[in-house]
RNA sequence: UCCUCAGUAGCUCAAUGGCAGAGCACUCGGCUGUUAACCGAGGGGUUGUAGGUUCGACUCCUACCUGAGGAGCCA
């Protein structure tokens, strides 16, 4: 008995097939049973008619509870009332595993309950759709870089020192010599591999021990980080808009069904095509001042500070494409940012803010290439110079201008799916106060 | 760390300081085209914890616990 997957059922109309899966839901009308079967690929309704099946099958169909595992044989045909929809006329049904009373009912549930049952919640239609979109996004991310001459060079997860201080890092006590930390970015290592391969990317889990408790934060999330030798800030911005547009297009192309389940307004996604607006920090500051004067923002924006969440939301709401805010004050950015030669108080960096209030999905820029400047910056930030000896070597042995960015996968999934919270974008989210399941 | 809100049946919620309730889920019965199916019956409660006010507290007060949303910080 070869298994047929429901997603392929259209190819088997009129021929007997075997489905293996789980009972999603059941309705009955006397001697007629309607079983919704899911097998991971899709769902379909199976019809059990008492007069057409043997006693064991009828009894099993009556006994089967929600989420019981079942093997069903039958003949698929078109739904009598819905063209293009298929149903299965059941011949036999075998109960593989009777499910105990299933906690997730077809009615509504609260967040805490669903999060406690995340291992089961994944079986529901909505979660299935989200994680399929996630899969497509990740595939598109890899394809984009693989097809554009990038080499995958993954960076370590255990790292000896912080990129930007140790306050938000997870400490690991294992290595004899010194303290280790879980990676918060692969960027410094990307700069080393970029000198070897030219165009590189890394893609892995990232850890941030921030006491953040918002819909945009996870303590463990996945980040893809490209780095390009000889790239200037303009090249980085162009790469970012090409990359984001490609990923969005791939999702639109292959995940229509899932976006429909999620009730996503796809016209919003269809607008995501290059070029994206470029907004200098100074202009962003002016926009925020005007918004505050017009009573559209609660707090006055202070020039020189970083954009707050409400600020980002306001700015992105003014555009129907992702907006690239560039050239922030160097003082509020990481030590390795290249200063703008025309305005040394500004850093050659860029944040990409997704539309519809989804906030920052990409952060990046041009890296400082001068050894003298980096030494000054490390001292100014109070960082231990010896921790960066290998990083400084990159400036000693053939330094070169270069840049790149990092994109948080979960924020991207959240945006493309139109979700309220990133916790649904990863199979098992890790958050402040959430380690199980 | 700070601000706001919420904890009542397995789940989602109701109950004006005066008898602890409904829908879903579950069990039993009915129904040959159901779509969160429907109809009838049944079991199911330390109202987050501790204290206080009151003749009487799910309801009011205090503290704590847990969760959610937000700020800061970030992708």
């Amino acid at each position: 008995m070869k298994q047929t997957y429901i997603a392929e059922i259209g190819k088997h109309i009129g021929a007997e097939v075997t489905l293996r899966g789980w009972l999603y839901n059941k309705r009955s009308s006397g001697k007629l049973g309607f079983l919704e079967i899911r097998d991971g690929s899709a769902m379909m309704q199976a019809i059990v008619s008492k007069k057409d099946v043997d006693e064991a099958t009828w009894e099993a169909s009556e006994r089967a509870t929600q989420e019981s595992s079942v093997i069903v044989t039958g003949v698929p045909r078109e739904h009598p009332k819905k063209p293009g929809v298929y149903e299965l006329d059941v011949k036999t049904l075998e109960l593989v595993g009777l499910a105990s009373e299933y906690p997730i009912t077809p009615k509504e549930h609260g967040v805490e309950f669903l999060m406690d049952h995340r291992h089961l919640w994944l079986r529901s239609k909505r979660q299935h759709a989200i994680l399929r979109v996630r899969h497509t996004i990740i595939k598109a991310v890899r394809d984009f870089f693989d097809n554009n001459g990038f080499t995958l060079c993954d960076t370590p997860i255990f790292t000896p020192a912080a990129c930007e201080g140790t306050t938000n890092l997870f400490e690991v006590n294992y290595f004899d010599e010194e303290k280790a930390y879980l990676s918060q970015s692969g960027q410094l290592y990307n700069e080393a591999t970029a000198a070897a391969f030219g165009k590189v990317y890394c893609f892995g889990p990232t850890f941030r021990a921030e006491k953040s408790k918002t819909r945009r934060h996870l303590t463990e999330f996945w980040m893809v980080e490209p780095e390009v030798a000889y790239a200037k800030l303009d090249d980085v911005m162009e790469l970012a808009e090409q990359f984001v547009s490609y990923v969005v297009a791939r999702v639109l192309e292959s995940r229509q069904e899932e976006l429909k389940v999620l009730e996503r307004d796809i016209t919003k996604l269809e607008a995501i095509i290059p070029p994206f607006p470029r907004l200098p920090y100074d202009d962003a500051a002016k926009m925020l001042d005007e918004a505050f004067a017009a009573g559209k923002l609660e707090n006055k924006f202070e020039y020189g500070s970083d954009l707050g969440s409400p600020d980002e939301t306001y700015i992105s709401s003014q555009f129907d494409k992702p907006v690239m805010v560039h050239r922030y004050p160097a003082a509020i950015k990481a030590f390795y940012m290249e200063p703008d030669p025309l305005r040394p108080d500004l850093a050659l960096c860029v944040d990409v803010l997704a539309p519809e209030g989804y906030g920052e999905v990409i952060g990046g820029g041009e890296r400082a290439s001068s050894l003298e400047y980096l030494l000054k910056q490390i001292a100014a930030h109070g960082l231990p110079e010896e921790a960066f000896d290998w990083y400084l070597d990159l400036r000693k042995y053939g330094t070169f201008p270069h840049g790149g960015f990092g994109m948080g996968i979960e924020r991207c999934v959240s945006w493309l799916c139109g979700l309220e919270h990133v916790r649904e974008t990863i199979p098992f989210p890790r958050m402040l106060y959430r380690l199980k399941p």
Side-chain angles (χ1 to χ4, degrees):
Chain A
M1 271 198 305
K2 192 165 173 285
Q3 174 175 5
T4 299
Y5 282 97
I6 295 171
E8 307 271 287
I9 204 74
K11 296 177 187 165
H12 299 87
I13 300 307
E16 185 170 313
V17 297
T18 300
L19 304 181
R20 293 193 277 209
W22 296 264
L23 180 59
Y24 189 75
N25 197 7
K26 182 168 74 171
R27 295 172 288 275
S28 74
S29 181
K31 307 292 175 261
L32 200 55
F34 301 90
L35 314 181
E36 262 191 275
I37 308 289
R38 58 170 192 87
D39 70 351
S41 75
M43 282 200 215
M44 82 181 295
Q45 181 163 268
I47 317 296
V48 188
S49 168
K50 189 176 183 183
K51 68 178 171 53
D52 294 333
V53 297
D54 58 46
E55 208 172 303
T57 290
W58 179 253
E59 193 262 349
S61 79
E62 289 215 292
R63 243 176 15 106
T65 50
Q66 189 188 355
E67 286 303 324
S68 290
S69 41
V70 291
I71 295 177
V72 187
T73 64
V75 180
R77 55 160 172 74
E78 224 173 63
H79 193 288
K81 291 176 193 166
K82 296 180 185 170
V85 174
Y86 302 112
E87 294 187 324
L88 191 79
D89 281 328
V90 173
K91 287 195 168 169
T92 66
L93 183 145
E94 181 194 338
L95 198 47
V96 177
L98 183 70
S100 303
E101 192 175 327
Y102 193 65
I104 301 178
T105 68
K107 288 273 182 173
E108 289 164 23
H109 297 282
V111 170
E112 186 186 4
F113 178 80
L114 288 170
M115 288 302 294
D116 285 340
H117 296 85
R118 182 63 178 168
H119 52 297
L120 302 177
W121 190 19
L122 295 172
R123 302 180 184 192
S124 69
K125 279 180 191 162
R126 179 183 160 83
Q127 300 308 311
H128 195 259
I130 294 169
L131 292 176
R132 288 241 196 179
V133 173
R134 177 191 171 95
H135 168 85
T136 295
I137 288 172
I138 290 173
K139 180 84 165 66
V141 162
R142 291 195 181 277
D143 287 347
F144 177 85
F145 292 120
D146 294 348
N147 296 339
N148 283 284
F150 285 74
T151 301
L152 175 71
C153 285
D154 281 323
T155 53
I157 289 171
F158 289 127
T159 58
C163 285
E164 295 142 51
T166 58
T167 49
N168 55 359
L169 290 180
F170 287 99
E171 199 174 293
V172 178
N173 291 307
Y174 171 78
F175 300 92
D176 288 340
E177 302 283 312
E178 54 192 322
K179 285 214 167 85
Y181 304 92
L182 297 184
S183 171
Q184 60 172 357
S185 166
Q187 190 223 307
L188 300 189
Y189 292 96
N190 268 348
E191 294 185 45
T193 58
F197 297 90
K199 295 202 272 188
V200 298
Y201 71 103
C202 66
F203 189 9
T206 304
F207 307 87
R208 303 268 168 98
E210 287 152 3
K211 299 284 184 207
S212 294
K213 201 164 128 21
T214 78
R215 67 182 70 190
R216 297 180 303 279
H217 285 88
L218 296 171
T219 51
E220 178 184 316
F221 64 97
W222 286 66
M223 185 157 68
V224 60
E225 296 172 274
E227 189 75 25
V228 179
Y230 290 99
K232 309 291 283 181
L233 179 62
D234 283 344
D235 302 318
V236 171
M237 290 201 274
E238 203 184 315
L239 181 68
E241 73 187 351
Q242 291 296 331
F243 167 66
V244 169
S245 305
Y246 176 81
V247 171
V248 172
R250 281 280 298 270
V251 169
L252 282 170
E253 177 190 305
S254 58
R255 289 297 170 211
Q256 288 288 331
E257 275 303 308
E258 284 77 6
L259 295 173
K260 211 158 130 195
V261 168
L262 297 167
E263 297 178 317
R264 183 65 167 113
D265 178 358
I266 60 166
T267 60
K268 293 269 201 313
L269 299 180
E270 283 162 351
I272 311 304
I273 43 174
F276 296 168
R278 271 98 166 138
L279 184 70
Y281 172 89
D282 283 10
D283 292 358
K286 273 179 216 143
M287 276 177 67
L288 293 171
D289 282 344
E290 283 162 21
F292 177 70
K296 291 177 189 163
L297 275 175
E298 215 168 294
N299 295 311
K300 187 165 166 48
F301 180 71
E302 234 177 278
Y303 185 88
S305 66
D306 210 346
L307 268 53
S309 273
D311 303 329
E312 284 186 359
T313 303
Y314 175 77
I315 289 173
S316 67
S317 74
Q318 303 304 106
F319 302 89
D320 52 10
K321 291 183 192 184
V323 55
M324 303 204 280
V325 184
H326 59 91
R327 291 179 169 82
Y328 286 67
I332 54 166
K333 287 290 174 180
F335 75 92
Y336 50 72
M337 299 281 189
E338 176 79 6
D340 186 344
L342 302 174
R343 282 276 304 275
D345 58 317
L346 300 181
L348 293 175
C349 62
V350 58
D351 282 356
V352 180
L353 310 182
E356 301 172 76
Y358 281 93
E360 188 181 346
V361 288
I362 281 179
E366 208 177 310
R367 325 302 187 188
S369 55
S370 149
L371 177 63
E372 291 68 33
Y373 180 76
L374 272 178
L375 285 169
K376 262 202 310 209
Q377 284 289 96
I378 286 171
H381 282 77
L383 297 169
E385 193 183 309
E386 61 278 11
F388 296 96
D389 50 4
W390 66 267
Y391 183 69
L392 294 169
D393 271 359
L394 303 173
R395 276 73 189 173
K396 286 182 199 160
Y397 303 108
T399 193
F400 56 111
H402 58 288
F405 60 81
M407 182 180 82
I409 290 297
E410 287 74 16
R411 284 191 182 175
C412 181
V413 177
S414 183
W415 164 39
L416 298 193
C417 289
L419 307 183
E420 286 293 310
H421 202 298
V422 289
R423 66 183 156 227
E424 292 179 78
T425 63
I426 186 167
F428 297 99
R430 292 293 172 257
M431 299 179 288
L432 192 62
Y433 313 130
R434 173 64 65 180
L435 188 58
K436 267 183 76 181

